């Protein structure tokens, strides 16, 4: 699937003095609904990975995965919301609770716990979620500082928090839980045996292989798309709406949007057609 990039959050990519411009085109109601749908689906993904619950061990792992999925998502939501509110208060003197950060914190917690949802204790799942909320906030600020346009915060949510979740298995995995599916294993997370870091080492090696594999195949792919001009949609087509330019429909807009810049939009529509 080829995803066309939207307008850059930086009005001018070549002018380093241009500040970040957050996007406000998303519908908050749909963002909340989408997050809740993903959260609900995560239970089927995580608990369903046990394949069956006809044995005591499998049933325990399935229920542990469900509980830990809930706790990690809650930890990510709470941490992202409160830490961002604290940062804003320190910067502006006023407290602001950003719903978007809470939603992305929830997704970050879900991503982070996916690796070890069945193999960690509940307290560890909550900590993993809390750390993921901080990683998400730090990741978004890092991308803005690096002037990387990530319209849906996929890099901090899925990449950064996915890497953290992989490392977290090597830190928090309970040996007894691991032996429920790997009977011959003699080690667990590093926090349970500081003299044995084999599992943590394996997780780190896995990260290196995944990063190397994806880089080797995807960098040439996206480089080719950029060379052909397929990586980003035309600016005029974005203004009139990709629903019109690519799908022959009408771009979804709110009444307030139409009232604010109806003349400008009509001008761009005339230019397009």
């Amino acid at each position: 699937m080829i995803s066309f990039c939207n307008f850059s959050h930086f009005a001018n990519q070549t002018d380093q003095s241009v500040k970040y411009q957050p996007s406000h085109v998303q519908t908050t109601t749909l963002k909340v609904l989408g997050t809740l749908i993903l959260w609900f689906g995560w239970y089927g993904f995580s608990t369903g990975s046990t394949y069956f619950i006809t044995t005591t061990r499998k049933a325990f792992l399935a229920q542990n995965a469900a509980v830990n999925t809930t706790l990690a998502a809650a930890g990510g939501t709470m941490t992202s919301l409160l830490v961002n509110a604290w940062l804003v208060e320190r910067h502006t003197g006023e407290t602001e609770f950003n719903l978007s950060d809470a939603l992305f914190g929830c997704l970050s917690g879900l991503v982070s716990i996916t690796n070890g949802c069945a193999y960690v204790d509940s307290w560890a799942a909550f900590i993993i979620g809390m750390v993921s909320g901080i990683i998400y906030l730090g990741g978004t600020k890092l991308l803005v500082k690096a002037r990387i346009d990530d319209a849906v915060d996929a890099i901090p949510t899925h990449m950064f928090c996915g890497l953290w979740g992989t490392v977290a298995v090597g830190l928090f995995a309970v040996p007894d839980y691991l032996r429920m599916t790997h009977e011959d294993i003699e080690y667990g997370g590093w926090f349970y045996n500081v003299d044995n870091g084999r599992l943590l080492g394996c997780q780190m090696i896995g990260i290196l292989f995944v990063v190397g594999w994806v880089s080797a195949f995807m960098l040439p792919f996206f480089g080719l798309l950029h060379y052909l001009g397929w990586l980003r949609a035309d600016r005029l087509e974005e203004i009139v709406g990709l629903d019109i330019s690519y799908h022959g429909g009408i771009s979804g807009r709110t009444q307030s949007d139409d009232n604010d810049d109806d003349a400008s939009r009509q001008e761009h529509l005339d230019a397009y057609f």
Side-chain angles (χ1 to χ4, degrees), residues 147-227:
R147 301 180 64 82
I148 297 177
D149 182 22
D150 185 1
V152 294
D153 284 339
I155 295 176
T157 303
H158 293 278
M159 179 181 174
F160 293 162
C161 291
L163 294 176
W164 157 239
T166 305
V167 174
V169 174
L171 298 175
F172 296 104
V174 181
D176 290 339
Y177 298 171
L178 288 173
R179 280 191 281 270
M180 290 185 180
T181 53
H182 307 82
E183 297 181 356
D184 297 331
I185 197 169
E186 298 179 354
Y187 51 86
W190 184 72
F191 287 149
Y192 291 91
N193 188 357
V194 295
D195 296 329
N196 191 335
R198 292 180 62 185
L199 182 58
L200 180 60
C202 289
Q203 296 298 102
M204 299 300 294
I205 293 174
I207 289 176
L208 294 177
F209 269 93
V210 170
V211 171
W213 176 273
V214 173
S215 299
F217 281 90
M218 290 294 102
L219 286 179
F221 174 72
F222 284 108
L224 178 61
L225 291 183
H226 179 69
Y227 176 78

Side-chain angles (χ1 to χ4, degrees), residues 9 27 66 76 90 94 127 170 175 186 203-204 209 224 243 257:
H9 287 159
T27 303
R90 296 282 292 178
E94 297 182 2
I127 291 176
E186 298 179 354
Q203 296 298 102
M204 299 300 294
F209 269 93
L224 178 61
D243 288 338
D257 290 331

Side-chain angles (χ1 to χ4, degrees), residues 1 20 56 123 141 179 205 223 228 256:
M1 180 181 294
Y20 173 77
T56 303
W123 63 267
K141 295 183 182 302
R179 280 191 281 270
I205 293 174
L228 295 175
S256 60

Side-chain angles (χ1 to χ4, degrees), residues 11-137:
N12 189 336
Q13 287 283 7
T14 61
D15 187 355
Q16 296 298 317
S17 65
V18 175
K19 294 184 178 180
Y20 173 77
Q21 300 175 355
S23 174
H24 300 288
V25 298
Q26 299 93 346
T27 303
T28 302
T29 304
L30 294 180
K31 289 170 66 175
V32 174
L33 177 61
T35 301
L36 292 177
I37 291 174
L38 285 172
W39 191 346
F40 181 76
W42 232 279
Y43 291 111
F45 177 70
S46 296
T47 60
S49 296
T50 59
Y51 295 112
F52 55 88
I53 56 174
T54 55
T55 66
T56 303
R57 290 184 175 183
K58 289 289 187 177
F60 172 82
L61 292 176
Q63 70 181 22
N64 195 46
V67 171
N68 289 339
T69 297
T70 305
L71 291 174
T77 302
M78 182 192 71
T79 303
S80 182
L81 179 67
L82 296 181
V83 170
N84 182 71
W86 178 76
L87 292 174
V88 172
E89 193 276 334
R90 296 282 292 178
H91 182 68
T92 65
E94 297 182 2
T95 302
E96 176 183 297
F97 295 97
N98 192 312
L99 178 60
S100 181
D101 287 330
L103 297 176
F104 277 108
C106 175
L107 294 178
S108 299
L110 291 169
V111 170
S112 297
I113 197 58
T114 301
N115 287 276
C117 58
Y119 298 116
V120 301
D121 278 324
S122 298
W123 63 267
F126 193 73
I127 291 176
I128 292 171
M130 292 178 64
V131 174
S132 70
I134 297 175
I135 291 176
Y136 163 73
L137 292 176

Side-chain angles (χ1 to χ4, degrees), residues 261-271:
D261 57 357
D262 182 70
S264 174
R265 177 170 169 76
Q266 186 61 47
E267 178 183 350
H268 289 108
L269 285 171
D270 294 339

Side-chain angles (χ1 to χ4, degrees), residues 24-27 30 237-245 247-258 261 265 269:
H24 300 288
V25 298
Q26 299 93 346
T27 303
L30 294 180
E237 291 179 335
E238 289 194 65
I239 293 175
V240 302
L242 297 183
D243 288 338
I244 293 178
S245 58
H247 308 297
I250 299 176
S251 177
R253 294 170 61 84
T254 64
Q255 185 65 37
S256 60
D257 290 331
D258 292 332
D261 57 357
R265 177 170 169 76
L269 285 171

